[in-house]
Amino acid sequence: MLKTGKSEAEAGAQPRRRKPTRRAEILAAAREVFLCNGYEASLVSEIAARAGCVEGTLYTYFTNKRALFDAVLTEFYDQLIAEIAPRFDAIDGTRDRFTFLIARHLQIALEDPAQGRLISGEVHSRAGYYGSTLHALNRRYSRFLMQTLHDGVKRGELRPGLDLSLARDLIFGGVEHWVWNTLERGQTFEPAAVARSIVAMVLDGWSTGTGEQTQVVELGRRVERLERRIAQAAAHKGSEP
């Protein structure tokens, strides 16, 4: 006689999760643990327990704790960059791009301070940061600012010969210092308003030669660029047979 029903073992067995689902569950659990404890104090056993699996299962997806940590960071940066990229591409002009990028950077610290502290702690405390996965991710993220600086110089909105790497580090470093000091004091802020203030300082300077004087200087620079282009065009036309 043929058996049509399932055995008790088969009936009581839990359905096996697909690999992408299980991996996502492990990443979500790991993120919670890392954000709570930091990298060094986090235990793989705690991550596995929170994900509802044994440690052996976790190691079938990630070779070690560092690989798991890197995967958590990569997921965060991938989502952040995917969200920023189309908005950045739709913005034209150095000032507007600066304002958008700095406001978005401030928003991370305000809405997800644990994530910001986790990343900052790894950058400043880990001896092997340079060449690490986090270093590569930060370079991907900072390319928006680097492109803004490069395009600003090319357009004549920023001075020629500007040290782009130094400018990038001053902006990110200054923003980080200010934002964590502000949050540690228990204060809050409006990212867009702070971004506008920072951009005004960067682009307009701190000297008394601001306002109308700055506009006159900028207008003079634009006239000089226009004159050079006219002269170049006339020279090119004169060289034609």
Side-chain angles (χ1 to χ4, degrees):
M1 183 176 179
L2 294 174
K3 294 174 65 177
T4 57
K6 293 183 178 179
S7 67
E8 291 183 7
E10 290 174 323
Q14 293 293 324
R16 295 184 64 184
R17 292 182 178 86
R18 294 181 179 274
K19 281 193 173 183
T21 301
R22 171 55 82 188
R23 187 179 188 278
E25 290 171 348
I26 293 172
L27 280 176
R31 184 177 189 274
E32 292 176 2
V33 174
F34 286 135
L35 291 181
C36 181
N37 302 335
Y39 175 77
E40 293 296 338
S42 294
L43 301 176
V44 172
S45 58
E46 182 181 356
I47 295 171
R50 188 167 297 202
C53 66
V54 297
E55 287 186 51
T57 300
L58 190 148
Y59 285 119
T60 64
Y61 294 88
F62 305 96
T63 55
N64 51 41
K65 186 172 78 167
R66 174 59 63 181
L68 178 54
F69 183 73
D70 287 346
V72 169
L73 293 177
T74 298
E75 182 178 59
F76 169 76
Y77 276 91
D78 283 349
Q79 293 173 356
L80 177 63
I81 290 169
E83 181 250 309
I84 289 175
R87 299 173 64 187
F88 176 82
D89 291 340
I91 299 172
D92 190 29
T94 301
R95 185 179 294 269
D96 288 344
R97 281 184 167 183
F98 269 142
T99 303
F100 165 67
L101 292 174
I102 293 174
R104 188 64 187 88
H105 195 67
L106 289 166
Q107 189 177 352
I108 297 170
L110 191 64
E111 296 180 352
D112 197 356
Q115 182 75 59
R117 288 191 179 93
L118 181 67
I119 293 171
S120 180
E122 278 292 296
V123 170
H124 296 298
S125 64
R126 188 183 173 198
Y129 167 68
Y130 290 98
S132 67
T133 296
L134 179 56
H135 182 224
L137 291 169
N138 275 330
R139 286 179 65 86
R140 280 180 58 204
Y141 173 65
S142 67
R143 76 169 179 83
F144 296 108
L145 183 56
M146 290 297 285
Q147 183 176 337
T148 299
L149 292 166
H150 178 270
D151 291 349
V153 172
K154 187 176 180 181
R155 292 170 177 169
E157 295 174 348
L158 300 176
R159 63 177 177 80
L162 180 67
D163 188 327
L164 304 188
S165 295
L166 179 59
R168 173 202 60 201
D169 292 347
L170 286 173
I171 291 172
F172 279 133
V175 169
E176 181 181 351
H177 179 80
W178 180 87
V179 75
W180 294 123
N181 279 349
T182 300
L183 292 178
E184 288 299 325
R185 295 190 185 103
Q187 300 172 356
T188 188
F189 56 88
E190 204 286 302
V194 175
R196 287 192 294 270
S197 295
I198 293 173
V199 172
M201 290 183 186
V202 171
L203 297 184
D204 300 335
W206 292 348
S207 67
T208 55
T210 56
E212 293 183 1
Q213 294 181 25
T214 300
Q215 293 177 15
V216 170
V217 171
E218 178 59 26
L219 180 59
R221 290 174 179 169
R222 292 183 180 181
V223 170
E224 290 176 0
R225 291 195 297 270
L226 182 59
E227 289 175 342
R228 285 197 299 268
R229 290 176 183 174
I230 292 173
Q232 290 170 358
H236 177 73
K237 185 174 181 180
S239 65
E240 292 179 353

